[in-house]
């Protein structure tokens, strides 16, 4: 009933305004685009020249966190408002809107404003809150439990498939542990969505299950996609464990494990790295190898105690596979560590670095134990030396404990800010950082060389060198840069001519970091416009 | 939340239908190649709250025998220039210069009103191609340009300010 009423109202409003045939235009905003305010505003208001309806709107702070969000509304009004929470910190903010006007034409855009004094207001670090959010601890603990359960379930599946050949007897014996691990991991993945959303909207942890706002925000984030993928994978694993047929369960085990491993690349530091392709591959290799290694330890231990005849064979098989897996794991881990750390000094100075050091130490200890197992204890077991079984069992048990420690360290790392993403203020004194250069071409042969440089903390300079098809600098009547992100509607900024064919814009918007779409529109003449598009990555 | 989603979806669906309402477009968007054609440009508004005071139309290459229609309240002028493609006038002469731009000025179209600007032209003999009439609307403190051309192989659907397009059909 309510839906029909809504439709009727909307159509009536549309019919009334049908003759207008003009799309809504943003007349002004409060605060104005580029304004620096002494006091944090209570709300952001967008005023249009005709009635509009909000589809989507949000306000992001300097760290990219959503501080206000507009729910789609029914009311058609000349103004759209986003209410802000009290006590906003100093720094830059981006308010973005997407509305639909009476004729159905969507209008969207963004504005930027800052809270503080003078030009320095834009550089105030809103990156990390002064107090640690309670969500960080919740997320870390949840992730630690998730990683252990994931290793047991997905890693156990890999063990079943690669070492035990998915033999019915082995599958049956591992079924209870793996089944429980799978649903526990799935539950943790589900909670992670809510926790991430709670962190983003800074909700009160107690109220997590009262409102849906945190869950909606979490679902819309990369964590939401990753968790849903992982949950699908765990469901596959649980079904696989219940199937009697070896072939069918084998297929589902492989699918489930692959899906769970793939979910690692969808969120976290990999998803927002500077070169996503390399980071994704490294992440997948690292996660897959780690899951296999850690997930196989318990089955091997159980096999050692329960099925002593087949155990040495399984151990030998695991050992040969593990060599390859461990090498890939170390290489992938090194690649990721270098990308996130960049400066070796950061290992001892930053929180991220210290936790990473601890993780490396634990992994090294595990490697030492693994080497002892392979070269010393396993041959003794195969020769049926007395006491070898107990020694090997103890060694595996210690490896399991160390492995849990490694996973806890990994969980802590996931919530730390990698040094490569810290605000530039941490590298103050380094002077200008030279950024990437992009060579763009349009279909008429004109070219634009786009360059992004960081001039100082919280400020970036966009430089464009336009050239005609012969390579000569090309002057335009007007050049505009349109900056947009997955969660920011296009911000239009005029560029100033600094020399023949060269145009520049310096501003704080890109300090938000992440992947931005940049569209350069150069008005060559009254009737000719050249457009160039690029996707750029800005490390925070 | 469901109501909001529904409304948003409805709005999105309607936008697909009503999208062109806000653009400057040609009344007849398809014509036979080589024929005489009356190009009527439909202008649904001024610019961003202001009235339009000048309408400039750049003609596509290959279009000849341009005769704009005068409008009461507007001053009509044409701009001649070198033709991109010289053509034979049928009497053995190659015509290298012709009308490239038509300008209606000194008039006033308020933002909340609609008007049409027309001219008669002869279309080139180029079936299965698309011609674009580039339009610039000038207002006291602003400009609206309808000059975006789709990339090769794509349509104007996704552009924000597409140039009015005319598709040439084979001669019938």
């Amino acid at each position: 009933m309510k839906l029909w009423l809504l439709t009727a109202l909307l159509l009536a409003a549309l019919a009334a305004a049908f003759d207008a045939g003009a799309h809504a235009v943003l007349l002004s905003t409060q605060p104005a685009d580029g304004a620096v305010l002494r006091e944090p505003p209570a709300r952001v208001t967008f005023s249009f020249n005709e009635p509009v309806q909000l589809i989507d709107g949000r306000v992001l702070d300097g760290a990219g966190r959503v501080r206000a969000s507009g729910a789609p509304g029914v009311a058609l009004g000349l103004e759209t408002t986003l209410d802000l929470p009290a006590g906003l910190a100093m720094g830059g903010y981006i308010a973005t809107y997407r509305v639909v006007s009476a004729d159905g034409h969507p209008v969207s855009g963004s504005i930027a404003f800052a809270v503080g004094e003078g030009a320095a207001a834009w550089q105030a670090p809103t990156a990390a809150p002064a107090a640690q959010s309670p969500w960080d601890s919740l997320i870390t603990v949840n992730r630690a439990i998730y990683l252990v359960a994931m290793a047991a379930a997905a890693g156990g599946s890999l063990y079943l498939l690669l070492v035990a050949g998915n033999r019915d007897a082995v599958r049956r014996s591992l079924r209870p542990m793996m089944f429980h691990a799978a649903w526990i991991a799935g539950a943790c993945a589900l909670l992670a969505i809510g926790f991430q959303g709670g962190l983003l909207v800074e909700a009160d942890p107690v109220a997590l299950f009262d409102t849906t706002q945190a869950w909606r925000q979490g679902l819309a984030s990369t964590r939401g996609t990753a968790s849903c993928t992982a949950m699908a994978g765990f469901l596959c694993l649980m079904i696989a464990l219940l199937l009697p047929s070896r072939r069918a369960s084998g297929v589902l085990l492989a699918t489930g494990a692959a899906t769970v491993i793939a979910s690692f690349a969808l969120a976290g530091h990999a998803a927002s790295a500077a070169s996503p392709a390399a980071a994704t591959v490294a992440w997948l290799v690292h996660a897959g190898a780690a899951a296999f290694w850690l997930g196989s330890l318990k089955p091997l231990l159980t096999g050692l105690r329960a099925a002593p005849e087949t155990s040495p064979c399984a151990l030998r098989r695991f050992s040969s596979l593990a060599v390859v897996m461990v090498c890939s794991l170390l290489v992938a881990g090194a690649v990721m560590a270098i990308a996130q750390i960049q400066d070796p000094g950061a290992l001892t100075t930053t929180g991220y670095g210290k936790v990473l050091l601890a993780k490396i130490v634990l992994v090294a200890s595990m490697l030492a134990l693994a080497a002892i197992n392979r070269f010393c204890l396993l041959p003794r077991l195969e020769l049926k030396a007395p006491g070898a079984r107990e020694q090997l069992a103890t060694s595996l048990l210690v490896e399991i404990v160390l492995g849990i420690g490694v996973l806890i360290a990994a969980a802590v790392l996931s919530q730390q800010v990698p040094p490569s993403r810290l605000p530039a203020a941490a590298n103050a004194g380094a002077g200008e950082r030279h950024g990437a250069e992009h060579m763009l071409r349009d279909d008429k042969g004109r070219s634009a060389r786009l360059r992004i440089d960081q001039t100082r903390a919280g400020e970036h300079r966009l430089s464009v060198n336009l050239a005609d098809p012969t390579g000569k600098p090309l002057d335009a009547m007007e050049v505009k840069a349109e900056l947009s992100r997955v969660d920011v509607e296009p911000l239009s900024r005029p560029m100033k001519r600094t020399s023949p064919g060269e145009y520049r814009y310096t501003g704080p918007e890109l300090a938000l970091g992440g992947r931005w779409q940049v569209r350069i529109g150069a008005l060559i003449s009254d009737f000719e416009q050249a457009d160039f598009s690029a996707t750029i990555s800005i490390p925070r | 939340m469901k109501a909001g989603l529904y409304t948003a979806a409805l709005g999105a669906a309607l936008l697909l239908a009503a999208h062109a309402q806000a653009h400057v477009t040609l009344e007849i968007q398809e014509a036979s190649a080589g024929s005489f054609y009356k190009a009527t440009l439909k202008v649904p508004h001024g610019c961003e709250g202001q009235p339009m005071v000048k309408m400039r139309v750049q003609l596509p290459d290959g279009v000849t025998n341009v005769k704009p229609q005068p409008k009461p309240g507007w001053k009509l002028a044409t701009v001649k220039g070198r033709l991109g493609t010289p053509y034979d006038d049928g009497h053995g002469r190659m015509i290298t210069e012709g009308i490239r731009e038509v300008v209606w000025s000194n008039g006033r179209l308020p933002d909340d009103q609609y008007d049409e600007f027309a001219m008669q032209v002869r279309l080139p003999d180029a079936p299965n191609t698309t011609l674009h009439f580039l339009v610039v609307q000038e207002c006291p403190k602003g400009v609206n340009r309808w000059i975006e051309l789709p990339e090769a192989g794509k349509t104007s659907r996704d552009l924000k300010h597409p140039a009015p397009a005319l598709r040439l059909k084979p001669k019938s």
Side-chain angles (χ1 to χ4, degrees):
Chain A
M1 200 332 248
K2 207 166 150 200
L3 285 176
W4 288 115
L5 189 61
L6 278 173
T7 321
L9 278 172
L10 194 57
L11 285 173
L14 282 163
F18 200 71
D19 290 17
H23 59 272
V25 160
L26 182 72
L27 293 176
S28 66
T29 60
Q30 187 63 249
D33 193 2
V36 178
L37 310 164
R38 280 251 177 82
E39 295 295 325
R43 64 189 67 82
V44 179
T45 307
F46 302 97
S47 305
F48 299 86
N49 68 335
E50 57 171 67
V52 295
Q53 184 190 332
L54 182 70
I55 299 180
D56 199 8
R58 68 188 74 85
V59 179
L60 303 176
D61 67 11
R65 283 193 302 239
V66 176
R67 305 309 294 272
S69 153
V74 183
L76 282 170
L78 287 175
E79 280 181 2
T80 280
T81 303
L82 297 171
D83 290 313
L84 293 167
L88 281 182
M90 282 204 334
Y93 295 85
I94 292 183
T96 195
Y97 66 90
R98 196 171 168 78
V99 298
V100 68
S101 45
D103 67 353
H105 193 111
V107 173
S108 62
S110 304
I111 60 154
F113 65 91
V115 175
E117 297 260 349
W122 296 99
Q123 287 141 36
T126 44
Q132 192 78 326
S133 165
W135 289 108
D136 282 317
S137 334
L138 271 172
I139 292 177
T140 307
V141 170
N142 184 47
R143 186 131 180 104
I145 299 172
Y146 170 75
L147 288 176
V148 173
M150 184 279 308
S157 312
L158 289 173
Y159 171 85
L160 256 184
L161 290 167
L162 299 172
V163 178
N166 201 21
R167 286 198 305 279
D168 290 337
V170 184
R171 194 168 72 252
R172 271 199 297 273
S173 70
L174 289 176
R175 179 185 298 158
M177 177 204 78
M178 281 177 60
F179 194 84
H180 290 309
W183 73 254
I184 289 175
C188 287
L190 182 63
L191 280 177
I193 300 176
F195 291 171
Q196 184 71 7
L199 178 69
L200 286 175
V201 303
E202 298 198 353
D204 186 359
V206 178
L208 183 62
F209 295 101
D210 284 341
T211 66
T212 56
Q213 197 199 14
W215 292 92
R216 270 184 290 147
Q217 206 61 47
L219 205 57
S221 70
T222 50
R223 177 61 59 201
T225 326
S227 280
C228 289
T229 312
M231 286 194 286
F234 290 119
L235 192 63
C236 273
L237 291 181
M238 288 196 283
I239 297 173
L241 289 167
L242 296 170
L243 289 174
S245 145
R246 187 174 152 207
R247 178 173 289 172
S249 73
V251 167
L252 272 179
L253 280 173
T255 314
T259 312
V260 168
I261 305 291
S263 75
F264 277 96
L266 292 173
H269 297 146
S272 45
S275 83
T280 309
V281 170
W283 249 115
L284 292 174
V285 168
H286 193 80
F292 173 68
W293 184 7
L294 297 169
S296 304
L297 294 174
K298 183 75 172 69
L300 286 171
L301 183 61
T302 320
L304 193 61
R305 293 201 176 118
E309 291 76 40
T310 52
S311 167
C313 182
L315 280 162
R316 181 57 68 177
R317 206 174 144 76
F318 168 77
S319 201
S320 15
L321 280 170
V323 173
V324 175
M325 292 284 191
V326 168
C327 285
S328 341
L329 177 125
L330 293 174
V331 168
V335 165
M336 291 195 302
I338 292 169
Q340 307 287 17
I341 295 275
Q342 280 169 357
D343 169 28
L347 272 173
T348 45
T349 51
T350 61
Y352 186 93
K354 290 184 204 162
V355 178
L356 185 62
L357 263 181
K359 188 178 171 204
I360 292 173
V361 165
L362 285 168
V363 171
S365 319
M366 285 182 73
L367 275 175
L369 270 177
I372 294 174
N373 290 350
R374 180 186 165 87
F375 295 111
C376 185
L377 294 177
L378 183 56
R380 291 188 59 203
L381 182 75
E382 283 166 334
L383 292 172
K384 300 197 196 296
R389 204 147 68 92
E390 285 67 36
Q391 283 175 328
L392 198 49
T394 314
S395 172
L396 281 173
L397 197 58
V398 175
E399 246 191 287
I400 290 175
V401 171
L402 287 174
I404 294 178
V406 168
L407 290 175
I408 293 176
V412 174
L413 274 181
S414 73
Q415 284 306 103
Q416 296 269 0
V417 180
S420 65
R421 305 273 181 79
L422 286 175
N427 311 349
E432 269 192 31
R433 286 218 330 243
H434 291 277
E437 217 173 74
H438 301 252
M439 198 65 185
L440 311 166
R441 242 167 251 286
D442 73 353
D443 51 8
K444 288 241 168 61
R446 291 182 286 239
S447 65
R449 194 176 78 220
L450 177 68
R451 211 169 121 118
I452 320 279
D453 291 306
Q454 181 165 16
T455 45
R456 51 162 185 245
E459 194 180 80
H460 285 81
R461 181 175 61 221
L462 231 76
S463 314
V464 170
N465 285 78
L466 298 170
D468 64 15
T470 63
K472 229 172 50 149
L474 180 66
D475 274 327
M477 282 169 56
E478 196 181 274
V479 179
K480 276 199 222 165
E482 236 183 41
L483 310 165
S484 62
R485 229 173 73 138
V486 65
D487 51 359
V488 175
E489 298 289 338
L491 272 162
S492 185
R493 292 287 181 260
M495 298 187 79
K496 265 206 293 252
R497 182 177 179 281
T498 49
S499 67
E502 186 175 272
Y503 295 83
R504 287 192 177 173
Y505 168 73
T506 308
E509 294 83 4
L510 290 172
L512 197 54
R515 306 191 66 183
W516 285 83
Q517 281 282 112
V518 176
R519 196 171 150 270
I520 308 287
L523 192 65
I524 310 289
S525 74
D526 271 317
F527 292 99
E528 202 174 359
Q529 169 135 332
D531 288 307
F532 306 91
S533 289
T535 305
I536 59 175
S537 281
I538 311 254
R540 279 215 70 237
Chain B
M1 177 177 131
K2 223 170 113 184
L5 269 173
Y6 174 75
T7 323
L10 188 63
L14 283 160
L15 93 84
L16 283 170
H19 195 72
Q21 281 289 333
H23 293 182
V24 172
T25 52
L26 284 164
E27 184 164 22
I28 297 170
Q29 302 186 353
E30 233 186 23
S32 301
S35 63
F36 277 94
Y37 164 74
K38 180 188 170 200
T40 306
L41 287 159
K42 308 201 304 177
V43 182
H45 52 72
C47 11
E48 259 122 79
Q50 293 176 54
M52 176 174 84
V53 294
K54 193 171 184 182
M55 170 91 168
R56 294 173 65 185
V57 182
Q58 186 182 79
L59 298 162
D61 198 31
V63 148
T64 59
N65 299 74
V66 179
K67 284 198 164 181
Q69 183 178 42
K71 285 183 75 64
W74 294 80
K75 206 169 80 164
L76 177 57
T78 58
V79 177
K80 287 208 166 77
R82 282 197 72 80
L83 291 177
T85 327
Y87 68 99
D88 191 324
D89 71 345
H91 300 291
R93 267 185 317 175
M94 285 303 274
I95 309 289
T96 54
E97 275 212 356
I99 296 177
R100 299 296 296 127
E101 195 181 319
V102 178
V103 184
W104 288 269
S105 58
N106 251 29
R108 194 186 147 81
L109 174 66
D111 193 31
D112 58 354
Q113 290 179 10
Y114 164 89
D115 206 349
E116 293 175 356
F117 295 77
M119 65 185 87
Q120 189 191 68
V121 302
R122 178 138 195 217
L123 299 173
D125 191 4
N128 296 323
T129 58
T130 304
L131 298 179
H132 292 96
F133 289 71
L134 304 175
V135 173
V136 172
Q137 290 178 278
E138 284 183 22
C139 307
K141 271 200 234 128
V143 177
N144 250 355
R145 295 176 202 275
W146 304 93
I147 60 177
E148 281 180 6
L149 302 171
E151 281 167 50
K154 294 203 185 154
T155 64
S156 303
R157 280 200 129 246
D158 307 313
L159 299 172
K160 272 207 193 153
H161 292 89
L166 170 69
R167 182 124 187 96
L168 295 182
K169 293 184 303 202
K171 280 194 236 209
S172 47

